[in-house]
Amino acid sequence: QVQLEQSGAEVKKPGASVKVSCKVSGNTVSDSSMHWVRQAPGKGLEYMGGFDPDEGEIVYTQKFQGRLTMTEDTSTDTAFMELSSLRSEDTAVYYCATAGLTLGEALDNWGQGTLVTVSS
Amino acid sequence: DIQMTQSPPSLSASVGDRVTITCRASQSIRGYLNWYQQKPGKAPNLLIYVATNLQGGVPSRFSGSGSGTVFTLTISSLQPEDFATYFCQQTSTTPWTFGQGTKVEIK
């Protein structure tokens, strides 16, 4: 059973960066198709980016191009999402999730979410 | 990017009711449409993948249908634990995109 454990809540000032971690257990991070989704307070789900099996690389939603970096540490089976130049609109719960390659890339395992608050 | 439009944005229903939620894609996504349930303060939970396939552990009262651009999620007999928000998501073309959600409330 795959489990994803995310790092704790963060409070950041506008212009700063935040790095959220997602530790994988029950599988290795390198064998996981990792994706990141965020949800602003009271709003819907917003896909940020993740591994595209057709491209064989991480693909970012254009909205976040230049500000978003997704990385992995295979020694600790941990994935990271770093968002820079934070603004108030980035206040949200950030989720990591893995896609099932036999499930049409549906997100079948989710972390518990990490609240990132951007405030001066 | 492919736009996903859900309807209705919210609905009120009673226990035992049959509920249908529709998701429309701005272009064909073949069958690459997934449905999630989300309860307040919790991560989303996968219900249906590739339009019609029930995820393991999900009750059989949930079903999905559709292809191309129009898809539906049906709950055959609404149960108290089904009051939640439901999201569709396309995984046909990156960047994947979600519908805006449908909140199912108690009547």
Side-chain angles (χ1 to χ4, degrees):
Chain A
Q1 176 76 350
V2 174
Q3 291 191 315
L4 306 176
E5 184 68 28
Q6 296 184 227
S7 50
E10 302 261 14
V11 179
K12 296 292 182 180
K13 294 195 181 302
S17 297
V18 68
K19 192 170 186 177
V20 177
S21 68
C22 174
K23 181 165 175 59
V24 180
S25 59
N27 198 359
T28 63
V29 71
S30 56
D31 285 341
S32 301
S33 178
M34 188 66 70
H35 301 264
W36 291 85
V37 175
R38 76 177 186 180
Q39 187 170 37
K43 302 296 184 182
L45 302 172
E46 181 174 30
Y47 181 74
M48 299 179 71
F51 183 76
D52 184 340
D54 293 336
E55 298 291 330
E57 61 183 11
I58 294 172
V59 175
Y60 301 120
T61 299
Q62 187 157 7
K63 173 179 179 178
F64 300 103
Q65 287 280 1
R67 290 207 298 144
L68 178 60
T69 306
M70 297 177 185
T71 55
E72 297 175 350
D73 180 346
T74 56
S75 68
T76 61
D77 285 319
T78 303
F80 299 92
M81 183 283 301
E82 184 169 19
L83 189 63
S84 63
S85 302
L86 290 169
R87 32 216 190 223
S88 58
E89 311 89 87
D90 294 318
T91 294
V93 175
Y94 289 75
Y95 293 101
C96 60
T98 56
L101 299 182
T102 60
L103 307 180
E105 297 296 306
L107 301 172
D108 60 339
N109 292 292
W110 293 72
Q112 81 275 23
T114 297
L115 175 61
V116 175
T117 303
V118 183
S119 174
S120 55
Chain B
D1 298 358
I2 296 176
Q3 304 304 312
M4 306 300 294
T5 304
Q6 281 182 242
S7 60
S10 64
L11 64 91
S12 296
S14 301
V15 172
D17 283 353
R18 182 181 181 88
V19 169
T20 298
I21 299 168
T22 299
C23 183
R24 288 182 167 82
S26 59
Q27 64 189 71
S28 177
I29 56 171
R30 298 168 287 169
Y32 290 96
L33 191 283
N34 312 306
W35 291 98
Y36 301 86
Q37 177 193 68
Q38 187 180 34
K39 296 183 178 180
K42 299 293 186 182
N45 181 51
L46 177 65
L47 297 176
I48 302 280
Y49 62 94
V50 193
T52 63
N53 298 279
L54 197 66
Q55 173 68 336
V58 174
S60 59
R61 62 181 178 273
F62 292 92
S63 64
S65 64
S67 65
T69 61
V70 183
F71 300 83
T72 59
L73 172 70
T74 299
I75 309 172
S76 61
S77 178
L78 199 65
Q79 298 301 299
E81 59 268 30
D82 301 337
F83 292 96
T85 302
Y86 295 84
F87 294 92
C88 63
Q89 177 213 22
Q90 65 85 16
T91 50
S92 173
T93 305
T94 55
W96 302 345
T97 43
F98 289 93
Q100 78 276 24
T102 295
K103 187 173 184 179
V104 176
E105 299 176 300
I106 300 172
K107 195 171 195 178

